[in-house]
């Protein structure tokens, strides 16, 4: 039963990796690793009168997910009120209860660098503190760039920037089993790359905080 559950979770997670996705290998590896985490994140019958108990990331009962994520959003907004007032980031809750935080690269990274700006790390510390208080979630950090430079270079830069955020969260005590870095390069622009204003919008890091829902655990590990 344990092998069957793991295989099912892996298959579900991999179904989100399109065959023509340039990040397919990265996502597939993350999906397989995440599936193992998902398996120990909840309780299932092992078919021999015992259970496999969740330990890594606990699952939320469906009816309590909305309140759990609403409370987390309120704490995020309170902690990051100054940053929001300065238009350094945006916080919103998506239809599937996922919490999304958009961060402008200009305040988090220097040009052509994947090193976090020291002035921005206190902001990420606030985010990490809230994430630690809400452990029933998986965090996907997604990096994006504008189209200046080669596509391959921008892909690598977006991956390194996402990994820098993940590494910082880990250093602040957020469990590594909850953290996934994804680079999308220049493939998902929010605006035109023909103007500086548009390119500025496209240079960003997105943080998706997905709840682990009982009976739907694998969905939390799927890349947004």
């Amino acid at each position: 039963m344990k092998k069957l559950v793991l295989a099912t979770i892996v298959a579900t997670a991999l179904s989100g990796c399109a065959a023509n996705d340039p990040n397919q290998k990265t996502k597939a590896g993350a999906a397989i690793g995440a599936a193992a985490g998902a398996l120990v994140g909840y309780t299932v019958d092992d078919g021999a009168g015992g259970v496999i108990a969740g330990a890594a990331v606990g699952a939320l009962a469906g009816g309590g997910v909305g309140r759990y994520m609403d409370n987390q959003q309120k704490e995020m907004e309170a902690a990051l009120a100054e940053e929001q007032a300065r238009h350094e980031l945006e916080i919103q809750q998506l239809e599937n209860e996922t919490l999304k935080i958009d961060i402008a690269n200009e305040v988090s990274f220097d040009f052509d660098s994947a090193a976090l700006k020291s002035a921005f790390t206190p902001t990420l510390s606030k985010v990490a503190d809230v994430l630690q208080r809400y452990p029933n979630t998986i965090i996907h950090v997604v990096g994006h760039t504008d189209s200046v430079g080669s596509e391959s270079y921008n892909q690598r830069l977006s991956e390194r920037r996402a990994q820098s955020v993940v590494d910082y969260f880990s250093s602040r005590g957020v469990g590594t089993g909850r953290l996934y870095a994804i680079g999308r390069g220049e493939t998902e622009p929010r605006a035109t790359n023909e103007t500086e204003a548009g390119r500025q919008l496209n240079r960003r890091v997105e943080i998706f905080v997905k709840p682990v829902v009982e009976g739907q655990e694998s969905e939390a590990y799927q890349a947004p």
Side-chain angles (χ1 to χ4, degrees), residues 16-18 20-24 27 94 100 102-103 105 140-148 151 154-155 158 162 182-193 198-208 222-224:
C17 303
N20 61 351
D21 190 335
N23 304 319
Q24 184 181 19
K27 291 180 183 179
L94 307 181
K100 181 185 178 186
D102 283 302
I103 303 172
N105 272 357
H140 301 266
V141 181
V142 185
H144 300 271
T145 70
D146 59 29
S147 63
V148 177
E151 184 175 350
N154 287 334
Q155 176 62 34
S158 68
I182 305 165
R184 299 275 167 78
E186 60 187 68
T187 62
E188 297 182 0
R190 293 175 59 182
T192 178
N193 277 301
R199 290 191 293 272
Q200 183 175 344
L201 288 173
N202 295 335
R203 298 189 295 263
R204 68 199 189 277
V205 171
E206 298 169 332
I207 301 172
F208 294 85
Q222 294 181 28

Side-chain angles (χ1 to χ4, degrees), residues 42-171:
Y42 62 102
T43 301
V44 296
D45 189 337
D46 68 359
V51 295
I52 305 167
V57 179
L60 297 162
V65 175
R67 180 181 300 175
Y68 187 87
M69 298 305 290
D70 285 344
N71 289 341
Q72 185 172 196
Q73 181 178 5
K74 290 176 182 177
E75 287 202 30
M76 284 287 187
E77 291 176 339
L80 302 170
E82 294 181 3
E83 287 83 355
Q84 291 184 89
R86 294 194 297 264
H87 304 290
E88 295 176 352
L89 54 80
E90 299 176 359
I91 303 172
Q92 61 178 310
Q93 192 170 144
L94 307 181
E95 291 182 359
N96 61 359
E97 307 290 355
T98 295
L99 189 62
K100 181 185 178 186
I101 305 172
D102 283 302
I103 303 172
N105 272 357
E106 279 65 29
V107 299
S108 50
F109 297 98
D110 285 321
F111 177 74
D112 198 28
S113 172
L116 286 166
K117 288 185 177 181
S118 59
F120 193 66
T121 53
T123 297
L124 289 183
S125 293
K126 297 176 186 178
V127 177
D129 289 345
V130 176
L131 293 177
Q132 288 188 75
R133 291 195 291 274
Y134 290 85
N136 304 106
T137 54
I138 301 301
I139 301 100
H140 301 266
V141 181
V142 185
H144 300 271
T145 70
D146 59 29
S147 63
V148 177
S150 71
E151 184 175 350
S152 60
Y153 181 84
N154 287 334
Q155 176 62 34
R156 292 192 299 271
L157 179 61
S158 68
E159 291 170 358
R160 290 189 289 121
R161 285 179 167 173
Q163 190 61 51
S164 291
V165 175
V166 161
D167 290 344
Y168 187 81
F169 284 159
S170 177
S171 74

